[in-house]
Amino acid sequence: MQKKRNIRTWIGDIVGLLVCFFIFVIPFLFMVINSLKERREANKLSLSLPTKFEWSNFVEVFQTNDYQILTAFKNSIILTVGAVAILVFFSAMAGYVIQRRKDRPVKIANTIIMTGLMIPAAILPTIWVMQTLHIYKTMPGMILVEVALHTPFTIMLYRGFMSTIPIELEEAAYIDGCTPFQVFRMIIFPLLKPVTSTVIILDAVTIFNDFTNPLYFFPGNENATMQVTLYNYMGQFSSAYNLLFADVLIITIPMLIIFLIFNNKIVDGMVAGSVKG
Amino acid sequence: MDKKKIYSKWFLVPSMTVFTVMFVIPLILSLFFSLTVWNFDGFTFCGIDNFIMFFEEQSLRIGIKNTLIYAVLTSGLKLIISFFIALFLTSNIRTKTLQRSIVFFPNLVSTVAVGVVFTALMHPSKGLINKGLEMIGIAGPDWLGNPDIALFSVIAVDVWKGLSIATVIFIAGFMSIDKTYYEAAMIDGANFWQKVRYVTVPLARSSMNSVIILSFIGGLRSFDLIWAMTGGGPGFATDVMASIVYKQYAAGYYGLSTAGNVIMFVLIAILAFPLQKWLLSKEVE
């Protein structure tokens, strides 16, 4: 009986790994291998190893369009860091009060924000608003768009986590003479650390990988983000798969690093974030 | 204790301001602008002409149909496939940590990057998928070039990418089920499938609902994968609402584009909200 079970789990392991390999690993390998081939060889789109490793592909991708990828990288980083920093700060405050207070105005605010979980952005009117405020095609404007679009999800995470923090702490601090903002800054915000790290990872990954919003709200060559650059290269490199894949790889590397460092945390965070929905 | 004082409304102001200005106001404006022919400098009122045009023009109407097919198929397939993957990854296999990481990884790769790689893999003559099929004697179709299958090819890639998050949700749901239920079922002589049917499925209901709702809404809103793989083509075969909104914008028909956006809101409101209500009501039972 024991033996039979052992064999069965081994078969499970092997079948599972094989399926994983074919469905998930091969596309990735395919991209890595072809990014290192010489142009004509890469265009055959085969899975054979390169006859010669062309590391210069990566250099060439960097040099394309006057080092556009470096600008794009800078833009993506500023956008991600800026938006995530604002999101953490604003949403933690909002989630805190929404969870603690259940009166009518707060409930209404909550309902309004939560519609954003389902309803997509009204794109052209958003551009119109941004133009009216003179922030269209600017980095601050783009950051605000990302903040607005990720606010519902982020507040939801904070609101969910707040319910695990005992209310007595705040009351004690308040009686000791803290102002409401001090209570938040010195007592609550430090206690929110676990969910804050989840928020940072989840929002950073989605904002860094966002393609649609920069496409609409942040057009122009000097404004390109990593994802938009990749999209533009699709047209430009249509007959040079080696460069296209090298670009994909360069774009994926930051996320790969985050993945290797925070592997378990990301999975836990995803779970916490999605299940509470 | 004065709640209003400690939990001052001012804490809500920063979030609410950004959200209202960048999301709520545009949302309300879109209802108005969808009734006009407009650009960023001015507008002319035209009644419901934009909406009439949307339903009369074959190339626009197809977007509604495709969006529905896309949302239903992606959420259904993700639900079923990820359920079994999660079941497998919570069984007592040895390499589960490794396999979980592998399954999870696509989640971190950007959609455009996934689109680029799969467009190459689906190349009609040189692509790896058709080469593989050739080896076992099947002539593979032109996955993205044939209007009859292009939409389904993109759906398959969407499912590939979306499986990871759905699987993670299911794994969490399965792990939170109390082991004693399985023991009780075993004592009653339940076999593997009976355990899945009568213990796992009912107790993992809330994860199931999360997966359905998340992927259904994601499907209704999807744009980037389609745009990166087919650009809505060939012809209009893979156009969905979101890609039509972009195309009309790029072509300068802002009124039509906004009307498309409003139709998206309505679709989501009449489908996703009741769906969520219904799922939640079943969860309580």
Side-chain angles (χ1 to χ4, degrees):
Chain A
M1 182 69 193
Q2 188 59 40
K3 196 142 195 203
K4 201 173 143 202
R5 171 155 258 164
N6 256 331
I7 293 170
R8 265 180 60 182
T9 52
W10 272 117
I11 292 173
D13 273 309
I14 292 166
V15 173
L17 282 174
L18 274 177
V19 172
C20 270
F21 182 77
F22 275 104
I23 301 201
F24 293 104
V25 181
I26 282 196
F28 191 71
L29 264 184
F30 167 76
M31 174 178 85
V32 176
I33 290 174
N34 282 294
S35 72
L36 290 167
K37 285 180 185 170
E38 175 268 319
R39 187 191 190 110
R40 214 160 331 135
E41 205 185 345
N43 283 353
K44 287 184 192 149
L45 296 176
S46 78
L47 204 55
S48 58
L49 285 172
T51 42
K52 186 170 160 276
F53 286 89
E54 289 280 351
W55 297 101
S56 60
N57 287 341
F58 290 89
V59 181
E60 203 174 320
V61 170
F62 272 103
Q63 286 168 340
T64 310
N65 298 353
D66 229 0
Y67 294 93
Q68 195 192 26
I69 201 169
L70 291 181
T71 322
F73 191 69
K74 191 192 79 194
N75 284 335
S76 282
I77 296 287
I78 297 176
L79 174 62
T80 307
V81 173
V84 170
I86 297 176
L87 271 168
V88 165
F89 189 56
F90 284 11
S91 306
M93 291 200 298
Y96 162 64
V97 168
I98 289 177
Q99 202 275 326
R100 287 299 194 237
R101 253 176 85 160
K102 298 280 180 231
D103 53 6
R104 225 184 131 78
V106 173
K107 271 210 167 133
I108 292 171
N110 184 45
T111 315
I112 293 175
I113 289 178
M114 289 308 135
T115 53
L117 282 176
M118 288 202 176
I119 303 286
I123 291 157
L124 298 189
T126 309
I127 297 181
W128 187 84
V129 168
M130 290 172 83
Q131 279 203 333
T132 315
L133 300 172
H134 301 289
I135 51 172
Y136 181 50
K137 292 189 191 176
T138 65
M139 180 57 90
M142 187 63 229
I143 289 179
L144 286 181
V145 168
E146 295 285 7
V147 170
L149 294 181
H150 290 85
T151 290
F153 177 70
T154 314
I155 290 187
M156 187 184 79
L157 288 185
Y158 275 114
R159 195 190 57 191
F161 194 82
M162 268 312 295
S163 55
T164 66
I165 296 177
I167 198 161
E168 289 79 9
L169 283 172
E170 296 138 46
E171 290 174 348
Y174 192 62
I175 292 164
D176 284 349
C178 286
T179 64
F181 188 70
Q182 279 172 331
V183 174
F184 172 75
R185 193 174 58 97
M186 303 198 306
I187 314 279
I188 301 299
F189 194 67
L191 288 173
L192 290 172
K193 212 165 146 195
V195 71
T196 301
S197 58
T198 306
V199 162
I200 292 177
I201 293 167
L202 291 184
D203 284 345
V205 170
T206 25
I207 295 174
F208 187 88
N209 283 341
D210 190 6
F211 166 70
T212 316
N213 295 309
L215 182 71
Y216 278 116
F217 305 116
F218 205 41
N221 275 335
E222 71 286 4
N223 287 342
T225 62
M226 295 286 265
Q227 310 303 329
V228 176
T229 325
L230 173 61
Y231 180 72
N232 294 339
Y233 286 1
M234 274 177 85
Q236 201 172 340
F237 292 159
S238 58
S239 57
Y241 277 104
N242 53 345
L243 299 184
L244 193 57
F245 290 139
D247 192 18
V248 171
L249 208 58
I250 292 171
I251 283 186
T252 312
I253 282 171
M255 291 301 114
L256 191 63
I257 294 169
I258 291 186
F259 178 64
L260 293 176
I261 301 173
F262 297 109
N263 185 356
N264 289 320
K265 217 163 208 161
I266 297 179
V267 178
D268 294 346
M270 290 272 175
V271 172
S274 36
V275 175
K276 271 268 103 193
Chain B
M1 186 63 59
D2 187 0
K3 276 204 162 189
K4 287 204 168 146
K5 233 174 179 172
I6 320 186
Y7 310 117
S8 156
K9 265 187 215 143
W10 288 105
F11 282 107
L12 287 175
V13 168
S15 276
M16 281 307 276
T17 313
V18 178
F19 189 71
T20 307
V21 173
M22 307 301 278
F23 188 87
V24 179
I25 292 178
L27 192 70
I28 295 164
L29 283 174
S30 71
L31 300 178
F32 170 75
F33 280 133
S34 65
L35 302 174
T36 65
V37 174
W38 69 297
N39 58 32
F40 297 135
D41 301 317
F43 61 85
T44 333
F45 196 70
C46 72
I48 55 167
D49 283 4
N50 289 323
F51 292 97
I52 293 173
M53 184 117 150
F54 232 101
F55 289 99
E56 276 178 350
E57 191 82 34
Q58 159 69 14
S59 64
L60 301 175
R61 206 172 43 201
I62 195 173
I64 302 176
K65 190 180 115 207
N66 284 344
T67 306
L68 292 176
I69 297 177
Y70 197 93
V72 171
L73 278 185
T74 49
S75 55
L77 288 170
K78 281 177 198 171
L79 176 75
I80 296 166
I81 301 173
S82 65
F83 180 85
F84 287 105
I85 296 181
L87 211 54
F88 178 69
L89 291 181
T90 44
S91 68
N92 47 2
I93 50 165
R94 267 156 249 252
T95 45
K96 68 179 141 191
T97 333
L98 174 68
Q99 294 192 30
R100 278 184 199 177
S101 302
I102 296 175
V103 172
F104 180 75
F105 186 67
N107 218 354
L108 293 178
V109 183
S110 81
T111 314
V112 184
V114 170
V116 169
V117 174
F118 272 90
T119 310
L121 288 172
M122 288 177 164
H123 192 285
S125 55
K126 304 186 283 187
L128 223 46
I129 296 179
N130 278 358
K131 287 243 185 77
L133 287 176
E134 214 170 84
M135 272 197 293
I136 51 173
I138 301 171
D142 184 353
W143 298 102
L144 296 171
N146 181 337
D148 294 329
I149 38 181
L151 185 65
F152 300 101
S153 308
V154 182
I155 287 174
V157 180
D158 190 304
V159 171
W160 180 86
K161 182 166 163 41
L163 276 182
S164 56
I165 181 72
T167 306
V168 169
I169 296 173
F170 271 130
I171 289 177
F174 293 169
M175 302 226 290
S176 67
I177 297 175
D178 198 332
K179 289 278 169 296
T180 51
Y181 288 111
Y182 290 105
E183 281 158 20
M186 214 161 79
I187 291 166
D188 287 347
N191 64 26
F192 175 75
W193 290 111
Q194 283 169 329
K195 276 193 264 180
V196 170
R197 169 70 186 79
Y198 295 106
V199 181
T200 315
V201 171
L203 290 176
R205 185 123 239 167
S206 73
S207 343
M208 217 177 272
N209 294 347
S210 303
V211 170
I212 297 174
I213 281 290
L214 278 178
S215 39
F216 188 69
I217 296 172
L220 289 176
R221 296 162 69 149
S222 64
F223 168 71
D224 35 13
L225 186 67
I226 293 164
W227 198 245
M229 290 187 75
T230 64
F236 305 104
T238 56
D239 258 332
V240 290
M241 290 311 296
S243 68
I244 288 176
V245 169
Y246 184 76
K247 277 185 178 173
Q248 298 305 326
Y249 159 64
Y253 299 115
Y254 289 9
L256 220 45
S257 171
T258 318
N261 222 324
V262 171
I263 294 176
M264 259 172 98
F265 301 150
V266 174
L267 272 183
I268 291 179
I270 61 173
L271 294 174
F273 280 113
L275 177 68
Q276 188 183 33
K277 266 230 164 96
W278 183 70
L279 289 173
L280 284 178
S281 72
K282 295 212 80 167
E283 200 171 312
V284 178
E285 276 163 27

